[in-house]
Every structure is written in C-alpha cells, then in structure tokens.
Amino acid sequence: EEYLLFIYRFWVFMGFLPVYRLFVFQDRQINEAEVAEFSVPTYACQRRTTLENHNAVLTDALSLLAEHAELSDEDGRGVAFRRAAAVLKALPKPVTSVKQLRGLPCLGDHSLRIIKDILENRESSEVQSTKQSERFKALKVLTGIFGVGAKTADRWIRDGINNLQQLQDSGQTLNRAQQAGLQHYDHLSQPVTKQEADAIGEIVEEAVASVLPGARITLIGGFRRGKLTGHDVDFLITHPEEGREVGLMPKVVSWLESKGFLLYQKTTRNSYLESKDGPARPASNMDRFERCFSIFKLPEEEKPAAKHPETLTGNVEQSLPLTSSHVSAEGEALKRWRAVRVDLVVSPISQFAFALLGWTGSKLFERELRRWAGHEKAMSLSSHALYDNKQVETHFVQTPSVKKKRVSKKTKTCSSMMT
Ligand code: DCT
Ligand code: MG
C-alpha cells in the first residue's frame, strides 16, 4: 500500500512540476527582463558594433587605462580594460546607471568602479591622475616615435629622458627606424584622413600595376572598417594567380623609391613556408607575410601649409628639422608634403581571405575571433589559415581555389596564438 501511495504521490508531483515551473520561471524571466537592460554576447566578435559610440566618455576613460596598462607592460590588465570598453561600445544607448550593466560580460570590478565614478562624479580620479602622471605623458611621447616600443621608452625614462628634446640632447644611439620616426614625429603624430589614405592608395595601385599587371591592392586596417582617420594606412596586395606574388614587394618598393615616395622603408620576408613549425602563427600575434613598414612622402596639393596643433611635448618639435616643404628643382613652387606611416602586406591568393580577415581588425576583434575559434569551435585561426583541431589529420579549411593540404599537426603552436 505504502508503495502504491508513493507511486501515486510521485506521479501527482511529476504532473504538477510543469505547472510549477511555468509559474516560477515566467516570474524569474520577467524579473530578469526588468534587470538586464542590455544583452551583449560574451565574445566581442559575436557583437554587431557600429562606429556610433553612445558611451564615448566611458570608453575613452577605459581605453586610456588600457593604454596605460599596455605601456606599463601589463598586457592582461590592458586586455581587460579593452574588453570592458568594447562592451560599452556595443550598447545601443548611453548608460546612466551601473545597475543597467548588471549581467553584462567582461565588466570586472575595476572597470565597474571607473564607470560608477564617472556616472556619479562626472570623472574618475584614477583616470585623471593617470592622465596627468609625468610617467604616462613621457611614455606616450616616447612610444609615439615610430620604432620605439614600451620597453625602450621605459629604459629611456629610467635614464632621465622624458621628452623629445631630452632624447635629442642625450646622444642616445637610435636605429634607422627611430631616427626616421624622430625626424617626422610632428607629421606622424597627426591622424591620417581617409582622403590621404585614398591618395596613397592611388600611388600604391600605380606602383603595383607597373611592376605586376593584374595584381590587386585592398585597403585594410581601420579604414576598411569605415573609420575616418587612422594612425597609419594599411594595404594588402595579392595576385589572382598563386605564386605570381613572389618577389613582388622589392619591386613595389623600388618603384616607390625611384619616384621619391618613400622617406623610410624596411621589408621583412615572408617566413610562413620556411617555418619549421609548419604553417601556423608564431608565438606572437604577428603573422609571417612579407611586409613593408614605411614612411610615405605624400604630396599635398594646392593647400596652404597645414598648421599642426601643439603636441604633447609642447614646442619641442619646433627645434626639429622642418620636413613639410621644400623648394622644387626650378626653385619656384613650394611643394608641400606630409609624412604618413604606410604598411604594405603581400599575401598569396590562397591565403588572401584569412589575411583580409586578420588585417581588417580591430586588434581586439581579431583577438576575440581567435579566442572564440579556439575555445568554442576547437579551431585555430590565423591570418594564414583555419585549422580544425578535432581532425586527426589537420584540415586546412580553405578558400575554394585550393584543396585541403596535409600538414603535420602542431597543436602547441596553434594554441599559443589563442591569447
Ligand atoms: N592587427 C592584429 N594584431 C595586432 C596588430 C594588428 O590583429 N597586434 C591587425 C588588426 C588591425 C590591423 O592589423 C592593422 O593594424 P593597425 O594599423 O595597428 O590598426 P588599425 O585598426 O588600422 O588602427 P589605426 O586606424 O590607428 O591605424
Ligand atoms: Mg592602421
């Protein structure tokens, strides 16, 4: 009897369960809807983020802290602030209270504290003190020199060098890139406009067409994402026939040099196929394409001298060589030009899709895309290829023009890029 009673009660309970769940869960859903005002996916690459930023004050503050962390060799903290800023950039309206952010991903305690401070007091004391700190100012000025990274800047600061004048007076040995960077500091610290990027695009297109007819160039980086200004201009070059792009870069560079368009250039070879590790990304996030880091001399047509606003160092630049104009050979017209950082990358057509995706950016989007591919899809993505880690034989997921390649699997190398 007891047994039958138990069965009876059990079935009554089971019958009641869906009704109970309906009530309780509906209730909870309503509560959650009230609390969670925004819904944002975890990985930045899953979000639709437009250039319209409704929370610029907050994202500027978080980006400044990210920059400070990156310049202080604290990459983990830097990424945390970048992720928090990216979440706020994806929101469809301005945030007015931290309560609205409940349940959103990537917002750690530190970022939330900064946001709360700004929302309640209009500014964050931590952001203000970072912005005003002498060390941060010095790091920004020194790393603003093309060819100078955070480590070099830190070393110089420890030697008492905090600005360009002190660097010049110090007699420090500078490499070729840093010399060019210092010489053109004034120009290179000015944002490049889309119009200037297009003008450079025409020159690069002419160079490429003259040395290899049929080769194509694509504007990549921030300008491909629709940004109106950038710190440099990036181009990806390829040819529709596999292999025809080999040896292209030196020819393009020679053409540009012969026409006087280059103030500085350094080309790195394509080391992708030479790698002992097989075709995977190296430990750093850099890819292995043939790449040319350059400073372009872009003629400015019929425009009065561009007046560059004061930079962070005050008037130190005035003592630097004047680079913005020269008298023509005839000694008549004054030709104006500006220096612009330009990156050229050459990819074989078989890797073009990956190169285009990897070079479109932003840096955080790319990082998140690689992380998502690795963690959620068990795949390894680089600017060269996409691998399926689950296959015993590594499958090179490819564009239709190229068939699957068999390569030795290097899980370690692949996973090292999931940073
Ligand atoms: N890139 C990357 N990881 C890096 C550096 C670069 O994935 N560590 C990719 C993403 C962007 C692209 O290369 C070009 O780099 P940048 O020119 O530095 O970035 P950008 O988005 O073009 O920024 P800006 O507009 O300031 O040039
Ligand atoms: Mg760029």
Side-chain angles (χ1 to χ4, degrees):
E1 248 175 46
E2 257 179 31
Y3 179 69
L4 283 175
L5 196 65
F6 172 77
I7 298 280
Y8 171 75
R9 278 184 183 155
F10 177 76
W11 284 114
V12 167
F13 175 74
M14 290 304 280
F16 176 69
L17 204 59
V19 182
Y20 166 81
R21 282 174 58 175
L22 200 71
F23 277 106
V24 172
F25 279 87
Q26 237 182 24
D27 206 32
R28 194 178 294 169
Q29 267 166 10
I30 289 164
N31 282 342
E32 271 174 10
E34 274 169 6
V35 173
E37 188 159 341
F38 304 113
S39 147
V40 173
T42 311
Y43 293 89
C45 58
Q46 296 171 304
R47 304 172 200 144
R48 181 181 292 273
T49 307
T50 66
L51 290 172
E52 198 180 356
N53 180 357
H54 300 281
N55 290 286
V57 174
L58 298 174
T59 59
D60 283 353
L62 294 169
S63 302
L64 184 129
L65 294 181
E67 195 181 1
H68 179 249
E70 287 156 3
L71 292 178
S72 310
D73 212 13
E74 294 177 9
D75 286 348
R77 256 157 58 87
V79 173
F81 284 128
R82 295 264 176 227
R83 286 204 180 116
V87 165
L88 298 186
K89 279 183 196 169
L91 300 182
K93 61 179 189 179
V95 175
T96 52
S97 154
V98 271
K99 281 191 194 135
Q100 292 172 296
L101 303 176
R102 211 169 289 166
L104 290 186
C106 311
L107 295 176
D109 288 347
H110 198 157
S111 296
L112 281 172
R113 219 166 46 236
I114 303 294
I115 296 168
K116 190 165 180 278
D117 243 13
I118 296 174
L119 291 177
E120 289 174 4
N121 311 315
R122 300 185 69 191
E123 61 177 35
S124 141
S125 50
E126 185 178 342
V127 173
Q128 289 307 318
S129 64
T130 304
K131 207 190 275 182
Q132 281 151 17
S133 91
E134 292 305 319
R135 185 180 157 77
F136 181 61
K137 283 186 201 165
L139 278 170
K140 273 204 74 135
V141 170
L142 297 176
T143 56
I145 304 169
F146 169 63
V148 178
K151 287 203 169 68
T152 306
D154 179 62
R155 203 178 64 236
W156 287 347
I157 291 169
R158 279 191 275 117
D159 286 348
I161 300 167
N162 292 297
N163 59 42
L164 303 190
Q165 190 66 68
Q166 288 171 349
L167 178 61
Q168 279 186 319
D169 297 344
S170 71
Q172 280 278 348
T173 316
L174 304 180
N175 63 30
R176 211 166 54 84
Q178 293 163 347
Q179 282 171 25
L182 188 59
Q183 191 181 356
H184 303 292
Y185 185 90
D186 208 5
H187 285 193
L188 298 184
S189 55
Q190 299 308 310
V192 187
T193 64
K194 176 69 167 59
Q195 212 178 0
E196 287 166 334
D198 288 339
I200 291 168
E202 280 173 27
I203 297 168
V204 175
E205 186 131 38
E206 199 186 332
V208 167
S210 336
V211 300
L212 182 64
R216 287 192 243 144
I217 72 158
T218 309
L219 185 62
I220 46 176
F223 288 113
R224 182 159 191 260
R225 306 197 302 276
K227 275 176 64 180
L228 298 175
T229 59
H231 93 284
D232 68 357
V233 193
D234 311 285
F235 293 100
L236 181 59
I237 306 170
T238 191
H239 190 283
E241 262 176 71
E242 183 83 357
R244 292 290 299 278
E245 81 292 343
V246 175
L248 177 58
M249 190 71 95
K251 290 182 194 155
V252 172
V253 169
S254 294
W255 190 97
L256 291 168
E257 260 173 346
S258 72
K259 305 275 176 191
F261 283 122
L262 294 182
L263 296 162
Y264 166 89
Q265 71 83 18
K266 184 177 168 31
T267 305
T268 57
R269 289 185 313 146
N270 180 346
S271 57
Y272 182 65
L273 296 171
E274 295 163 5
S275 161
K276 280 192 218 123
D277 304 334
R281 269 199 177 213
S284 78
N285 273 337
M286 299 297 290
D287 55 54
R288 295 170 187 266
F289 289 121
E290 190 169 31
R291 180 172 172 184
C292 175
F293 301 87
S294 77
I295 300 178
F296 244 68
K297 182 175 178 180
L298 176 67
E300 284 186 340
E301 279 166 26
E302 294 163 32
K303 248 176 57 184
K307 241 190 153 197
H308 297 304
E310 249 185 44
T311 52
L312 277 160
T313 48
N315 58 8
V316 172
E317 285 72 30
Q318 285 164 8
S319 63
L320 295 171
L322 181 70
T323 56
S324 60
S325 66
H326 70 270
V327 180
S328 72
E330 297 80 39
E332 292 161 5
L334 199 64
K335 288 190 180 163
R336 306 212 66 87
W337 54 270
R338 72 157 289 188
V340 180
R341 272 275 299 113
V342 176
D343 276 358
L344 305 176
V345 184
V346 172
S347 124
I349 190 71
S350 59
Q351 296 167 25
F352 179 76
F354 305 103
L356 184 62
L357 179 60
W359 273 85
T360 297
S362 66
K363 286 180 196 89
L364 184 72
F365 176 90
E366 301 294 345
R367 190 186 187 110
E368 294 279 283
L369 194 59
R370 292 191 294 266
R371 201 163 64 92
W372 176 76
H375 293 182
E376 306 295 329
K377 300 285 169 192
M379 286 187 166
S380 302
L381 176 68
S382 76
S383 289
H384 297 281
L386 176 66
Y387 296 99
D388 187 340
N389 300 340
K390 297 181 293 297
Q391 308 283 336
V392 179
E393 286 288 334
T394 300
H395 282 250
F396 194 19
V397 184
Q398 253 306 355
T399 44
S401 60
V402 175
K403 288 184 190 127
K404 269 179 203 168
K405 264 188 186 173
R406 283 181 163 206
V407 290
S408 65
K409 189 171 177 183
K410 290 277 172 190
T411 320
K412 257 195 170 164
T413 320
C414 291
S415 61
S416 66
M417 74 183 203
M418 306 298 163
T419 46

